[in-house]
Amino acid sequence: MILTVTLNLALDVTYEVPRVDWDGVNRVGAVHRRAGGKGVNVARVLAALGHDTLVTGLAGGRTGHAVEADLRSAPLRHALTPVAGDSRTTLTITEPHTHPHEPGRSGRTALFNEPGPHVTSGELTAFTRRYEKLLSGAGAVVLAGSLPRGVPAGFYATLAAIAAARGVPAVVDADGEPLRHAAEGRPAVVKPNADELARAVPGGTLTEAAGALRERGAGAVVVSMGADGLLAVTGEGTFRARMPYTVHGNPTGAGDALVAGLALALVERTPWPDTLRRAAALGAAAVATPVAGEIDPDVYADIHPQITVS
């Protein structure tokens, strides 16, 4: 079982709009509402691949109840800790890649994230106790996404250290201060994108910045670079995964699908070249779908064998 932690759970709302007019009225072509947050998206991808998962995190208020209802209907196994504050809503607005009257214009995606509830120290203590119990049945744990207000920036490092003490490898996908601190908990893998890594470790190349996170305690650093593929700085060397072509669509859940591949590799002890090829293919397959947490199996099957790793 892979445990996924989403401390800032959300109700994800996606609007598919034929063409966004930022100064006028827009007619929405399709609406999707579902439980979200990075860890939930990871769990959806793992479940689609047939792997056992368990979603944990913090949920509260009417939005939290809507999130739990969607997890039940998915169905995704979950064990959430209640908080008094209302969980957040996120809004994604996507345009199609092709525009019949503007063939040279590519589609765009805009994401609006609410900050989430304020979490008390007592609620955080209750979550940590539950987390420690859930680790007993986990082969790996994913710690992903933003932290709600009231949660210390070093909390992912704390959770990773608790997992490591129990022999459970952790993947951390975070940004800003949580990313800077994460390596101190000695996670097996840290997965920033290129911009997140540059903010966390300014100056130098991506390889040097990834190496700096390894020096702070991370076992490996896998950097997602969109159409440019992946960079992995590991204890076995530095690897590059290159994409054969660009997949167009909604990139919102691409990193989450990629993280699902990394978590699977920890459980299955997959060699790095195979790990990166599968993770990159899952990320591309996620871009081809309209909502985060899904993958297009046809895109995955086509692009996977064409990804080169050096």
Side-chain angles (χ1 to χ4, degrees):
M1 179 267 286
I2 294 177
L3 179 67
T4 71
V5 174
T6 311
L7 294 172
N8 214 0
L9 277 162
L11 182 67
D12 284 348
V13 180
T14 301
Y15 286 172
E16 294 184 58
V17 182
R19 188 185 188 285
V20 176
D21 179 359
W22 292 103
D23 297 313
V25 176
N26 293 275
R27 298 191 181 278
V28 178
V31 181
H32 309 274
R33 290 184 176 88
R34 64 195 317 197
K38 296 182 77 64
V40 174
N41 296 336
V42 171
R44 288 188 191 277
V45 173
L46 290 170
L49 297 172
H51 200 90
D52 184 30
T53 66
L54 178 63
V55 173
T56 190
L58 305 170
R62 294 178 62 183
T63 307
H65 290 314
V67 167
E68 289 194 74
D70 186 72
L71 290 175
R72 285 193 298 270
S73 65
L76 285 174
R77 288 201 305 131
H78 56 282
L80 305 180
T81 297
V83 296
D86 194 30
S87 294
R88 64 191 179 125
T89 298
T90 70
L91 175 63
T92 301
I93 300 175
T94 66
E95 289 181 326
H97 176 62
T98 57
H99 295 266
H101 303 297
E102 300 175 83
R105 179 181 166 201
S106 62
R108 295 179 296 179
T109 299
L111 178 61
F112 301 85
N113 288 332
E114 295 180 1
H118 185 278
V119 179
T120 68
S121 59
E123 290 167 340
L124 206 56
T125 298
F127 167 79
T128 304
R129 289 172 179 165
R130 192 168 206 179
Y131 170 77
E132 291 172 337
K133 294 177 181 177
L134 295 175
L135 281 172
S136 62
V141 60
V142 173
L143 310 170
S146 62
L147 299 179
R149 292 168 292 179
V151 177
F155 196 58
Y156 278 151
T158 299
L159 297 182
I162 292 171
R166 288 159 173 75
V168 180
V171 182
V172 178
D173 183 3
D175 191 7
E177 286 297 320
L179 173 60
R180 271 190 283 272
H181 287 286
E184 300 166 9
R186 309 192 70 80
V189 182
V190 173
K191 202 294 297 174
N193 63 35
D195 290 339
E196 291 165 347
L197 180 59
R199 286 193 292 268
V201 188
T205 66
L206 289 179
T207 301
E208 291 168 341
L213 287 184
R214 285 202 70 238
E215 290 174 359
R216 296 179 191 176
V221 180
V222 177
V223 187
S224 56
M225 301 182 294
D228 292 329
L230 303 177
L231 168 71
V233 178
T234 79
E236 300 173 25
T238 299
F239 299 85
R240 275 292 308 271
R242 292 176 170 83
M243 309 300 291
Y245 56 85
T246 300
V247 178
H248 298 285
N250 178 12
T252 305
D256 305 329
L258 195 160
V259 168
L262 298 176
L264 273 178
L266 291 176
V267 173
E268 298 173 353
R269 302 182 183 275
T270 309
W272 274 110
D274 295 336
T275 294
L276 298 177
R277 191 174 291 110
R278 176 168 61 180
L282 286 171
V287 173
T289 65
V291 293
E294 295 184 357
I295 55 173
D296 185 319
D298 293 332
V299 171
Y300 178 85
D302 182 73
I303 204 169
H304 180 269
Q306 300 184 62
I307 295 170
T308 58
V309 180
S310 58

